[in-house]
Amino acid sequence: MSEEANKITVNDNPAENRFEAHVGQYLAIAQYRRQGHDIIFTHTEVPEELEGQGVGGKLVRTALDTARAQNLEVVPLCPFVAGYIRRHQEYLDLVKPSYRDRVRE
């Protein structure tokens, strides 16, 4: 992760159903829906100007850490979130059991 990514603050914005990282004039998001005890990640978007700087990873890591703190089961419909979990198996236990085959290495 770049030094810049370490300085990025990610916030949950429940009114917009997304986690947000503001970097200068740019906004990166991880969109979700809440359904009971599930958090369903549907879309992640990182502006082209921020790609390769660790912004998407920090966004998803914060979202997953928040899900863990709130005892939510993760449904990774978003390919970026699923890929992150595939590369970081320490989050596999958060994934709803019926979706775990999608994120196993």
Side-chain angles (χ1 to χ4, degrees), residues 47-92:
E48 192 175 313
E49 294 83 358
L50 301 178
E51 287 179 5
Q53 298 178 38
V55 175
K58 180 149 188 184
L59 190 63
V60 173
R61 184 173 59 256
T62 301
L64 294 172
D65 288 343
T66 301
R68 185 181 304 283
Q70 294 178 7
N71 294 314
L72 299 174
E73 282 193 307
V74 171
V75 177
L77 298 183
C78 169
F80 188 85
V81 174
Y84 186 89
I85 295 169
R86 195 171 299 115
R87 290 186 309 277
H88 298 88
Q89 292 285 294
E90 65 268 26
Y91 291 106
L92 184 63

